[in-house]
Amino acid sequence: MTLPKNGVAKEIRSYLGSLLIFFFIVGIIITFVQYPVLESNKEIVLMLIGSISASIPILINSISGTKPDDINGLKATIEKKEHQIQMLVDAKDRLEEMVIELQKEMLQNQDNIMDKIILKSALFFDDKFNPPKGKL
């Protein structure tokens, strides 16, 4: 039988240990519900139950496999991705504005060229059919 490598065995041990402690806590709670606690030991038992219940979130995180460092790292990654997305959206908006300006310039240039072509054609027509009086 080959053992898992690269920290997998450690994670499995952590998972199984957390499950063992969780079931131990559940067993203690069931025992306290079934059997009454003496008044003299009541404060000690309540303190133990309080400290055990304070460790339950840590156990749940360990059982589910989530770690606070992993969660914080993922949050930081999400923030970076959101920042990159915002930068890309801003760049896209600037490019769209540049395309609109370029289209306006192209239309203006097209109007100027059309005016020149029409003026040249009009001058050519005038010269061809109405020659100047001094030239014949």
Side-chain angles (χ1 to χ4, degrees), residues 9-25:
K10 181 180 177 186
E11 290 180 15
I12 291 173
R13 283 192 308 267
S14 172
Y15 180 75
L16 292 176
S18 297
L19 280 176
L20 178 69
I21 292 171
F22 181 75
F23 287 128
F24 177 70
I25 292 170

PDB file of all heavy atoms in Angstrom, residues 9-25:
ATOM      1  N   ALA A   9      -1.577  13.272   3.210  1.00  0.00           N
ATOM      2  CA  ALA A   9      -1.718  12.463   4.422  1.00  0.00           C
ATOM      3  C   ALA A   9      -1.977  13.362   5.625  1.00  0.00           C
ATOM      4  O   ALA A   9      -2.798  13.036   6.486  1.00  0.00           O
ATOM      5  CB  ALA A   9      -0.469  11.626   4.642  1.00  0.00           C
ATOM      6  N   LYS A  10      -1.327  14.500   5.673  1.00  0.00           N
ATOM      7  CA  LYS A  10      -1.534  15.432   6.775  1.00  0.00           C
ATOM      8  C   LYS A  10      -2.964  15.952   6.760  1.00  0.00           C
ATOM      9  O   LYS A  10      -3.610  16.061   7.808  1.00  0.00           O
ATOM     10  CB  LYS A  10      -0.550  16.597   6.662  1.00  0.00           C
ATOM     11  CG  LYS A  10      -0.673  17.605   7.764  1.00  0.00           C
ATOM     12  CD  LYS A  10       0.333  18.723   7.578  1.00  0.00           C
ATOM     13  CE  LYS A  10       0.142  19.776   8.662  1.00  0.00           C
ATOM     14  NZ  LYS A  10       0.997  20.928   8.447  1.00  0.00           N
ATOM     15  N   GLU A  11      -3.494  16.265   5.595  1.00  0.00           N
ATOM     16  CA  GLU A  11      -4.869  16.739   5.484  1.00  0.00           C
ATOM     17  C   GLU A  11      -5.860  15.654   5.884  1.00  0.00           C
ATOM     18  O   GLU A  11      -6.859  15.940   6.548  1.00  0.00           O
ATOM     19  CB  GLU A  11      -5.152  17.224   4.066  1.00  0.00           C
ATOM     20  CG  GLU A  11      -4.443  18.503   3.720  1.00  0.00           C
ATOM     21  CD  GLU A  11      -4.737  18.979   2.302  1.00  0.00           C
ATOM     22  OE1 GLU A  11      -5.699  18.479   1.691  1.00  0.00           O
ATOM     23  OE2 GLU A  11      -4.019  19.860   1.831  1.00  0.00           O
ATOM     24  N   ILE A  12      -5.569  14.418   5.509  1.00  0.00           N
ATOM     25  CA  ILE A  12      -6.456  13.306   5.880  1.00  0.00           C
ATOM     26  C   ILE A  12      -6.447  13.112   7.390  1.00  0.00           C
ATOM     27  O   ILE A  12      -7.505  12.949   8.008  1.00  0.00           O
ATOM     28  CB  ILE A  12      -6.050  12.010   5.142  1.00  0.00           C
ATOM     29  CG1 ILE A  12      -6.343  12.146   3.643  1.00  0.00           C
ATOM     30  CG2 ILE A  12      -6.789  10.807   5.710  1.00  0.00           C
ATOM     31  CD1 ILE A  12      -5.820  11.003   2.807  1.00  0.00           C
ATOM     32  N   ARG A  13      -5.259  13.162   7.998  1.00  0.00           N
ATOM     33  CA  ARG A  13      -5.178  13.034   9.454  1.00  0.00           C
ATOM     34  C   ARG A  13      -5.917  14.175  10.136  1.00  0.00           C
ATOM     35  O   ARG A  13      -6.628  13.969  11.127  1.00  0.00           O
ATOM     36  CB  ARG A  13      -3.719  13.022   9.902  1.00  0.00           C
ATOM     37  CG  ARG A  13      -3.018  11.700   9.675  1.00  0.00           C
ATOM     38  CD  ARG A  13      -1.679  11.656  10.413  1.00  0.00           C
ATOM     39  NE  ARG A  13      -0.812  12.795  10.135  1.00  0.00           N
ATOM     40  CZ  ARG A  13       0.116  12.824   9.186  1.00  0.00           C
ATOM     41  NH1 ARG A  13       0.311  11.781   8.424  1.00  0.00           N
ATOM     42  NH2 ARG A  13       0.857  13.901   9.011  1.00  0.00           N
ATOM     43  N   SER A  14      -5.769  15.386   9.626  1.00  0.00           N
ATOM     44  CA  SER A  14      -6.462  16.540  10.198  1.00  0.00           C
ATOM     45  C   SER A  14      -7.971  16.366  10.095  1.00  0.00           C
ATOM     46  O   SER A  14      -8.704  16.643  11.038  1.00  0.00           O
ATOM     47  CB  SER A  14      -6.018  17.813   9.484  1.00  0.00           C
ATOM     48  OG  SER A  14      -6.793  18.902   9.897  1.00  0.00           O
ATOM     49  N   TYR A  15      -8.417  15.901   8.944  1.00  0.00           N
ATOM     50  CA  TYR A  15      -9.845  15.683   8.715  1.00  0.00           C
ATOM     51  C   TYR A  15     -10.387  14.624   9.667  1.00  0.00           C
ATOM     52  O   TYR A  15     -11.418  14.831  10.323  1.00  0.00           O
ATOM     53  CB  TYR A  15     -10.060  15.267   7.259  1.00  0.00           C
ATOM     54  CG  TYR A  15     -11.488  15.007   6.888  1.00  0.00           C
ATOM     55  CD1 TYR A  15     -12.378  16.053   6.704  1.00  0.00           C
ATOM     56  CD2 TYR A  15     -11.965  13.704   6.722  1.00  0.00           C
ATOM     57  CE1 TYR A  15     -13.696  15.825   6.363  1.00  0.00           C
ATOM     58  CE2 TYR A  15     -13.277  13.464   6.386  1.00  0.00           C
ATOM     59  CZ  TYR A  15     -14.142  14.529   6.207  1.00  0.00           C
ATOM     60  OH  TYR A  15     -15.438  14.294   5.884  1.00  0.00           O
ATOM     61  N   LEU A  16      -9.700  13.493   9.769  1.00  0.00           N
ATOM     62  CA  LEU A  16     -10.163  12.421  10.648  1.00  0.00           C
ATOM     63  C   LEU A  16     -10.099  12.837  12.119  1.00  0.00           C
ATOM     64  O   LEU A  16     -10.994  12.513  12.906  1.00  0.00           O
ATOM     65  CB  LEU A  16      -9.337  11.154  10.405  1.00  0.00           C
ATOM     66  CG  LEU A  16      -9.554  10.481   9.039  1.00  0.00           C
ATOM     67  CD1 LEU A  16      -8.617   9.303   8.880  1.00  0.00           C
ATOM     68  CD2 LEU A  16     -10.991  10.055   8.876  1.00  0.00           C
ATOM     69  N   GLY A  17      -9.066  13.544  12.510  1.00  0.00           N
ATOM     70  CA  GLY A  17      -8.962  14.038  13.878  1.00  0.00           C
ATOM     71  C   GLY A  17     -10.080  14.995  14.226  1.00  0.00           C
ATOM     72  O   GLY A  17     -10.661  14.946  15.320  1.00  0.00           O
ATOM     73  N   SER A  18     -10.408  15.879  13.277  1.00  0.00           N
ATOM     74  CA  SER A  18     -11.506  16.817  13.505  1.00  0.00           C
ATOM     75  C   SER A  18     -12.826  16.088  13.645  1.00  0.00           C
ATOM     76  O   SER A  18     -13.653  16.431  14.502  1.00  0.00           O
ATOM     77  CB  SER A  18     -11.589  17.817  12.355  1.00  0.00           C
ATOM     78  OG  SER A  18     -10.427  18.578  12.292  1.00  0.00           O
ATOM     79  N   LEU A  19     -13.038  15.079  12.809  1.00  0.00           N
ATOM     80  CA  LEU A  19     -14.267  14.292  12.929  1.00  0.00           C
ATOM     81  C   LEU A  19     -14.328  13.570  14.273  1.00  0.00           C
ATOM     82  O   LEU A  19     -15.385  13.527  14.916  1.00  0.00           O
ATOM     83  CB  LEU A  19     -14.365  13.269  11.795  1.00  0.00           C
ATOM     84  CG  LEU A  19     -14.857  13.792  10.453  1.00  0.00           C
ATOM     85  CD1 LEU A  19     -14.814  12.695   9.411  1.00  0.00           C
ATOM     86  CD2 LEU A  19     -16.251  14.344  10.571  1.00  0.00           C
ATOM     87  N   LEU A  20     -13.208  13.016  14.722  1.00  0.00           N
ATOM     88  CA  LEU A  20     -13.161  12.315  16.002  1.00  0.00           C
ATOM     89  C   LEU A  20     -13.508  13.264  17.151  1.00  0.00           C
ATOM     90  O   LEU A  20     -14.337  12.942  18.016  1.00  0.00           O
ATOM     91  CB  LEU A  20     -11.772  11.705  16.215  1.00  0.00           C
ATOM     92  CG  LEU A  20     -11.569  10.973  17.538  1.00  0.00           C
ATOM     93  CD1 LEU A  20     -12.403   9.696  17.561  1.00  0.00           C
ATOM     94  CD2 LEU A  20     -10.106  10.667  17.734  1.00  0.00           C
ATOM     95  N   ILE A  21     -12.912  14.450  17.150  1.00  0.00           N
ATOM     96  CA  ILE A  21     -13.195  15.426  18.203  1.00  0.00           C
ATOM     97  C   ILE A  21     -14.648  15.884  18.133  1.00  0.00           C
ATOM     98  O   ILE A  21     -15.312  16.044  19.163  1.00  0.00           O
ATOM     99  CB  ILE A  21     -12.224  16.617  18.101  1.00  0.00           C
ATOM    100  CG1 ILE A  21     -10.808  16.151  18.447  1.00  0.00           C
ATOM    101  CG2 ILE A  21     -12.649  17.756  19.008  1.00  0.00           C
ATOM    102  CD1 ILE A  21      -9.743  17.177  18.183  1.00  0.00           C
ATOM    103  N   PHE A  22     -15.159  16.082  16.919  1.00  0.00           N
ATOM    104  CA  PHE A  22     -16.552  16.504  16.757  1.00  0.00           C
ATOM    105  C   PHE A  22     -17.502  15.459  17.344  1.00  0.00           C
ATOM    106  O   PHE A  22     -18.428  15.798  18.099  1.00  0.00           O
ATOM    107  CB  PHE A  22     -16.848  16.741  15.270  1.00  0.00           C
ATOM    108  CG  PHE A  22     -18.245  17.199  15.014  1.00  0.00           C
ATOM    109  CD1 PHE A  22     -18.633  18.499  15.307  1.00  0.00           C
ATOM    110  CD2 PHE A  22     -19.181  16.340  14.466  1.00  0.00           C
ATOM    111  CE1 PHE A  22     -19.923  18.927  15.072  1.00  0.00           C
ATOM    112  CE2 PHE A  22     -20.468  16.758  14.226  1.00  0.00           C
ATOM    113  CZ  PHE A  22     -20.844  18.054  14.531  1.00  0.00           C
ATOM    114  N   PHE A  23     -17.279  14.197  17.021  1.00  0.00           N
ATOM    115  CA  PHE A  23     -18.150  13.147  17.563  1.00  0.00           C
ATOM    116  C   PHE A  23     -17.970  13.006  19.082  1.00  0.00           C
ATOM    117  O   PHE A  23     -18.925  12.698  19.798  1.00  0.00           O
ATOM    118  CB  PHE A  23     -17.895  11.812  16.858  1.00  0.00           C
ATOM    119  CG  PHE A  23     -18.437  11.791  15.451  1.00  0.00           C
ATOM    120  CD1 PHE A  23     -17.617  11.427  14.398  1.00  0.00           C
ATOM    121  CD2 PHE A  23     -19.741  12.134  15.191  1.00  0.00           C
ATOM    122  CE1 PHE A  23     -18.107  11.411  13.111  1.00  0.00           C
ATOM    123  CE2 PHE A  23     -20.248  12.123  13.900  1.00  0.00           C
ATOM    124  CZ  PHE A  23     -19.429  11.754  12.850  1.00  0.00           C
ATOM    125  N   PHE A  24     -16.778  13.251  19.574  1.00  0.00           N
ATOM    126  CA  PHE A  24     -16.543  13.233  21.014  1.00  0.00           C
ATOM    127  C   PHE A  24     -17.365  14.328  21.702  1.00  0.00           C
ATOM    128  O   PHE A  24     -17.990  14.093  22.743  1.00  0.00           O
ATOM    129  CB  PHE A  24     -15.039  13.411  21.295  1.00  0.00           C
ATOM    130  CG  PHE A  24     -14.697  13.468  22.742  1.00  0.00           C
ATOM    131  CD1 PHE A  24     -14.796  12.333  23.540  1.00  0.00           C
ATOM    132  CD2 PHE A  24     -14.287  14.657  23.338  1.00  0.00           C
ATOM    133  CE1 PHE A  24     -14.483  12.384  24.892  1.00  0.00           C
ATOM    134  CE2 PHE A  24     -13.975  14.714  24.667  1.00  0.00           C
ATOM    135  CZ  PHE A  24     -14.073  13.579  25.456  1.00  0.00           C
ATOM    136  N   ILE A  25     -17.372  15.526  21.098  1.00  0.00           N
ATOM    137  CA  ILE A  25     -18.154  16.634  21.654  1.00  0.00           C
ATOM    138  C   ILE A  25     -19.645  16.302  21.632  1.00  0.00           C
ATOM    139  O   ILE A  25     -20.364  16.536  22.611  1.00  0.00           O
ATOM    140  CB  ILE A  25     -17.865  17.939  20.882  1.00  0.00           C
ATOM    141  CG1 ILE A  25     -16.436  18.396  21.140  1.00  0.00           C
ATOM    142  CG2 ILE A  25     -18.848  19.032  21.258  1.00  0.00           C
ATOM    143  CD1 ILE A  25     -15.971  19.517  20.249  1.00  0.00           C
TER     144      ILE A  25
END
